[in-house]
Amino acid sequence: MRRLIQTLLCSLLLLSAAAGAAADDLSRKQRKLLEETQIAYGATIRWGSMDDAIAYLDPQLRKSKPPTEFELNRYAQLRVSSYRERSSASLDGGQVERRVEIGVINQNTQAERTVVVTERWRWDPEAKRWWQSAGLPDLWQGQ
């Protein structure tokens, strides 16, 4: 029994060291900027408009697949009631993936529902900032 507990503790330490090594790929300044950017983006989604959120999207994505007027009008019919981070993980290539739970209210029906979206954040060394590279959140999942 004692041996099993020691093995489990060692495994847990190795896993936490591996997770720490992945997080160490980012400098302290990059992690701080990521946190600040994610907080501002979340506040924009929660309290602002999707027009404002476009400024956080990766410029390559904005150029290749800009949101249409129809899509922006659809977003205008919704109100975000909550925005909560569920998890975050470092990916290869310096990207960070974050799962977020968003409460959405349809302004026409006043029906509220919850969707979980995945954000991907990419560090831009030239601009020295983070970009959201997954696009605007899909608030119509399963409809």
Side-chain angles (χ1 to χ4, degrees):
M1 184 66 169
R2 183 177 177 199
R3 189 74 167 153
L4 176 65
I5 292 172
Q6 287 175 338
T7 304
L8 289 173
L9 285 175
C10 285
S11 299
L12 195 65
L13 285 173
L14 286 173
L15 283 174
S16 64
D24 288 341
D25 290 346
L26 302 176
S27 71
R28 177 176 284 164
K29 183 177 180 180
Q30 286 174 323
R31 284 193 298 267
K32 184 175 187 277
L33 285 172
L34 175 62
E35 183 179 334
E36 290 170 355
T37 303
Q38 287 176 333
I39 289 170
Y41 178 75
T44 301
I45 297 291
R46 174 69 177 94
W47 302 105
S49 71
M50 288 301 163
D51 288 325
D52 299 332
I54 292 171
Y56 292 89
L57 296 182
D58 191 324
Q60 298 166 355
L61 180 66
R62 279 186 282 179
K63 187 176 181 180
S64 66
K65 190 181 173 196
T68 65
E69 187 176 336
F70 174 76
E71 290 171 327
L72 293 175
N73 287 336
R74 278 186 82 192
Y75 281 113
Q77 295 175 12
L78 302 174
R79 193 173 83 227
V80 175
S81 59
S82 64
Y83 184 93
R84 293 182 196 96
E85 179 178 341
R86 293 179 104 192
S87 64
S88 184
S90 295
L91 303 175
D92 292 337
Q95 289 193 358
V96 174
E97 182 176 274
R98 180 167 88 147
R99 292 178 53 85
V100 177
E101 180 180 281
I102 302 175
V104 180
I105 300 172
N106 182 313
Q107 291 185 2
N108 297 321
T109 63
Q110 291 299 300
E112 184 173 19
R113 58 194 164 75
T114 303
V115 295
V116 177
V117 297
T118 302
E119 300 171 354
R120 286 193 182 238
W121 293 89
R122 177 184 71 82
W123 174 252
D124 184 348
E126 292 175 16
K128 296 192 183 334
R129 67 163 291 170
W130 288 92
W131 297 110
Q132 210 279 77
S133 59
L136 293 174
D138 178 7
L139 302 179
W140 296 272
Q141 298 169 16
Q143 289 189 351

